[in-house]
């Protein structure tokens, strides 16, 4: 699993302004391996559709990853005949490797890919990329499992697809509905930061990218698609499923150990309603309430267990005092770390001292309740004592939260400024080199200038200097990053 630190925080999403420029807005990548029969019909159909429906300049990039038939010749002929078609040759196999290499080298602000069989109806392409152009979303995927999708495929593939997505939801808590539909798009600035973290070079590439993006707080837009299964598909289902399960295990382990720097990928929304400070609504109150309730519930159970133990060899008042003292120290430490986010040892002793004062107030409430119970009944049952203590602790809990928030763990930054009702979000400046705003979107029919020529490169390298100037430097290929036995 790659643990490279990402270059910096992503900038706020912005609508890409329309205008005239030489750079295509959309770069659609078609990864191919031995597709000499299907490549030309696919490219011609896609080009006709984009020329007729897409309002901006576009590019179609053929990513040939180590084909051994006449696919390179077909790709070269298409590049020579159609100005909007480019050809990119890799000498190693793997769909993920092809996508990462071409996407990393592209200068288009919106990057997409689709399978060469065009199983997905092309009418979904504009709805797929529109949220990325507008700045609403970071990634977009076609979904065959949405309610309004229209899908024609065999029962075997249907079962495998749904079972795989159930595994993702159960093991990785994924919320997107379809991980492996070959119809996806991503903003270039997001790809430059996200792709270095994606390790897989094969069919699991899609899933890994989506899981990391979702865990990083990026917004994923889903588009229902019309999809017809290709009966001549060359995908090896058993091997693909096995590799995918291995990838799920690897990603789950990396997320559990915290080895991925996903916190650096969080993208500000621009005018994010969560950044607004509303008068009389303290910032972070909801989160602190949830944390305090969880800690309080666990502390109450801990207190009741301690009270039952101490009650075996002491009176009720002594047992209550000892149980409350021990649980109060643990409660203060847990709330300090989990509820109010105070880390380190600085001020820990003072916080515990203040917590003991709060403990004294809680002791007075619970002890007073016990004294009143004994005065009323003489010798109450143990269950009655516990019920009274629970009620007294609920009252003490409310007071404890107020004292913790206002006195023990006050928010110094908030207390020093007045609340307002306007948005105060200021996105932090990213540290990577692509911070300049996008050039205005080119409108067709601007004369197309082909930005690169057919060449052979190693996976992980850009084709020429003009590509490298427009994008981040690609990650070097690791010595073991090969798929000599990959049949796909």
């Amino acid at each position: 699993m790659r643990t490279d630190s990402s270059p910096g925080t992503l900038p706020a999403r912005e609508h890409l302004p329309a205008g005239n420029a030489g750079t295509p807005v959309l770069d659609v990548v078609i990864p191919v391996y031995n597709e000499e029969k299907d490549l030309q019909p696919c490219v011609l159909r896609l080009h006709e559709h984009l020329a007729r429906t897409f309002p901006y300049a576009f590019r179609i990039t053929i990513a040939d990853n180590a084909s051994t038939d006449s696919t390179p010749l077909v790709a070269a002929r298409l590049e020579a005949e159609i100005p909007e078609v480019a050809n990119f040759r890799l000498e190693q196999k793997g769909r993920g490797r092809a996508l990462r290499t071409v996407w990393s080298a592209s200068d288009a602000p919106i990057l997409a890919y689709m399978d060469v069989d065009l199983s997905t109806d092309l009418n979904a392409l504009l709805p797929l990329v529109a949220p990325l152009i507008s700045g609403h979303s970071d990634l977009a995927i076609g979904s065959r499992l949405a309610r309004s999708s229209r899908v024609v495929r065999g029962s075997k593939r249907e079962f495998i697809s749904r079972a795989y997505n159930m595994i993702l939801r159960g093991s990785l808590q994924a919320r997107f509905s379809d991980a492996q539909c070959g119809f996806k798009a991503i903003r270039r600035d997001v790809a430059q930061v996200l792709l270095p973290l994606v390790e897989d070079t094969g069919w699991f590439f899609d899933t890994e990218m989506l899981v990391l993006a979702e865990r990083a707080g990026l917004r994923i837009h889903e588009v229902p698609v019309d999809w017809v299964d290709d009966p001549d598909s060359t995908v090896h289902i058993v091997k693909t499923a096995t590799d995918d399960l291995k990838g799920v295990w690897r990603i789950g382990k990396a997320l559990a150990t915290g080895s991925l720097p996903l916190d650096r990928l969080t993208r500000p929304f621009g005018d994010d309603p969560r950044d607004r400070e509303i008068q009389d609504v303290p910032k972070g109150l909801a989160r602190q309430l949830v944390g305090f309730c969880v800690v309080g519930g666990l502390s109450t159970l801990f207190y009741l267990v301690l009270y039952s133990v101490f009650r075996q060899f002491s009176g009720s008042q002594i047992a209550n005092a000892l149980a409350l003292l021990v649980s109060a120290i643990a409660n203060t430490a847990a709330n300090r770390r989990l509820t109010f986010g105070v880390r380190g040892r600085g001020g820990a002793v003072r916080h515990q001292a203040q917590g003991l004062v709060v403990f004294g107030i809680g002791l007075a409430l619970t002890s007073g309740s016990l004294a009143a119970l004994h005065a009323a009944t003489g010798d109450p049952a143990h269950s009655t004592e516990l019920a009274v203590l629970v009620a007294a602790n609920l009252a003490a809990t409310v007071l404890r939260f107020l004292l913790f928030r206002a006195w023990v763990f006050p928010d110094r930054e908030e207390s020093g400024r007045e609340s307002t009702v306007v948005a105060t979000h200021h996105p932090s400046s990213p540290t990577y080199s692509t911070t300049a705003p996008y050039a205005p979107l080119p409108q067709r029919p601007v004369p197309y200038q082909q930005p690169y020529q057919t060449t052979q490169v190693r996976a992980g390298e850009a084709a020429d200097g003009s590509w490298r100037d427009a994008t981040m430097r690609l990650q070097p290929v690791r010595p073991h990053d090969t798929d000599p036995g990959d049949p796909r």
Side-chain angles (χ1 to χ4, degrees):
M1 172 57 59
R2 289 177 176 162
T3 57
D4 328 32
S5 296
S6 56
T9 304
L10 287 165
R13 301 187 190 99
E14 294 182 357
H15 191 293
L16 303 181
N20 294 322
T23 302
V25 173
L26 174 65
D27 192 349
V28 182
V29 180
I30 304 176
V32 292
Y33 172 71
N34 291 346
E35 298 287 355
E36 58 184 2
K37 294 182 180 179
D38 295 335
L39 179 57
Q40 179 169 328
C42 166
V43 172
L44 294 179
R45 180 181 164 193
L46 175 60
H47 180 268
E48 186 276 333
H49 177 82
L50 287 172
R52 177 170 47 87
T53 64
F54 194 67
Y56 307 118
F58 61 87
R59 177 193 301 142
I60 301 173
T61 302
I62 302 170
D64 174 20
N65 47 319
S67 293
T68 56
D69 61 1
S70 62
T71 297
L73 298 178
V74 176
R77 185 173 67 251
L78 290 170
E79 180 184 37
E81 295 176 354
I82 305 175
E84 291 84 6
V85 174
N87 181 25
F88 196 86
R89 168 77 178 182
L90 295 94
E91 296 301 334
Q92 292 176 294
K93 294 170 59 177
R95 182 181 68 168
R97 177 181 290 107
L99 290 176
R100 184 170 63 226
T101 303
V102 178
W103 277 357
S104 297
S106 179
D107 54 355
I110 305 298
L111 310 171
Y113 96 89
M114 61 183 61
D115 292 336
V116 69
D117 56 17
L118 294 186
S119 295
T120 305
D121 184 69
L122 292 178
N123 287 324
L125 182 55
L126 187 56
L128 183 80
V129 301
L132 308 186
I133 294 176
S134 69
H136 175 272
S137 302
D138 300 300
L139 299 90
I141 64 174
S143 175
R144 299 164 295 185
L145 302 181
R147 287 183 177 272
S148 56
S149 297
R150 300 167 184 172
V151 178
V152 178
R153 60 178 167 182
S155 57
K156 180 180 179 181
R157 286 218 169 192
E158 181 76 12
F159 172 78
I160 292 175
S161 178
R162 292 189 178 274
Y164 179 64
N165 282 280
M166 287 181 62
I167 291 174
L168 293 180
R169 289 176 177 269
S171 60
L172 300 179
Q173 288 78 49
R175 290 176 293 178
F176 46 85
S177 64
D178 193 351
Q180 291 197 316
C181 179
F183 197 71
K184 295 181 175 67
I186 185 172
R187 288 176 64 108
R188 185 186 55 150
D189 56 346
V190 176
Q192 289 175 333
V193 184
L194 182 61
L195 294 185
L197 301 179
V198 180
E199 179 177 345
D200 191 80
T201 60
W203 293 87
F204 188 69
F205 174 87
D206 303 53
T207 303
E208 184 172 356
M209 178 180 68
L210 291 175
V211 170
L212 297 185
E214 187 175 74
R215 289 299 186 96
L218 304 182
R219 179 172 286 173
I220 302 174
H221 177 73
E222 296 197 12
V223 178
V225 298
D226 296 345
W227 194 86
V228 180
D229 188 18
D230 179 13
D232 299 325
S233 175
T234 59
V235 178
H236 294 250
I237 297 179
V238 176
K239 186 179 187 308
T240 300
T242 302
D243 292 343
D244 288 345
L245 292 177
K246 292 180 181 178
V248 170
W249 170 259
R250 175 174 54 81
I251 292 297
K253 182 179 179 181
L255 293 174
T257 57
S259 60
L260 289 167
L262 298 181
D263 55 325
R264 298 192 179 188
L265 287 179
T266 301
R267 175 195 278 280
F269 290 85
D271 182 16
D272 191 337
R274 297 173 300 180
D275 294 331
R276 300 179 185 178
E277 298 176 4
I278 309 301
Q279 188 174 1
D280 299 328
V281 180
K283 185 177 181 181
L285 179 60
R287 181 188 59 79
Q288 290 179 356
L289 276 173
V290 172
F292 185 81
C293 289
V294 172
V295 172
L298 296 176
S299 298
T300 300
L301 293 177
F302 183 50
Y303 161 79
L304 293 176
V305 171
L306 291 177
Y307 177 81
S308 299
V309 172
F310 294 149
R311 190 68 173 83
Q312 301 297 322
F313 54 84
S314 63
S316 60
Q317 293 287 3
I318 296 178
N320 173 63
L322 291 176
L324 195 59
L325 176 61
V326 176
S327 62
I329 294 175
N331 180 276
T332 300
N335 277 308
R336 181 178 186 270
R337 176 66 176 82
L338 302 177
T339 303
F340 299 97
V342 180
R343 295 172 172 80
R345 298 182 179 180
V349 176
R350 176 175 58 82
H351 292 154
Q352 284 292 350
Q354 292 173 312
L356 290 178
V357 174
V358 178
F359 149 76
I361 298 175
L363 178 62
L365 286 174
T366 54
S367 298
S369 300
L370 279 177
L373 175 64
H374 282 272
T377 59
D379 188 18
H382 181 65
S383 59
T384 305
E385 287 183 342
L386 290 179
V388 170
L389 288 174
V390 168
N393 268 289
L394 288 177
T397 297
V398 176
L399 181 61
R400 186 183 304 119
F401 176 75
L402 296 177
L403 290 175
F404 271 0
R405 182 175 173 84
W407 180 47
V408 183
F409 306 109
D411 191 333
R412 308 292 183 185
E413 183 178 355
E414 286 186 6
S415 61
R417 64 173 185 262
E418 297 179 357
S419 298
T420 62
V421 293
V422 297
T424 59
H425 176 70
H426 300 286
S428 57
S429 298
T431 58
Y432 52 91
S433 62
T434 57
T435 57
Y438 289 122
L441 297 192
Q443 300 278 2
R444 292 188 294 109
V446 176
Y448 184 82
Q449 296 180 354
Q450 189 167 323
Y452 47 84
Q453 299 177 348
T454 304
T455 184
Q456 293 187 0
V457 299
R458 292 184 302 146
E461 291 185 353
D464 53 41
S466 63
W467 281 19
R468 286 191 295 268
D469 291 341
T471 60
M472 63 177 286
R473 186 175 298 277
L474 304 183
Q475 296 293 333
V477 178
R478 298 181 302 281
H480 63 277
D481 194 13
T482 58
D483 296 312
D486 191 350
R488 290 169 288 181

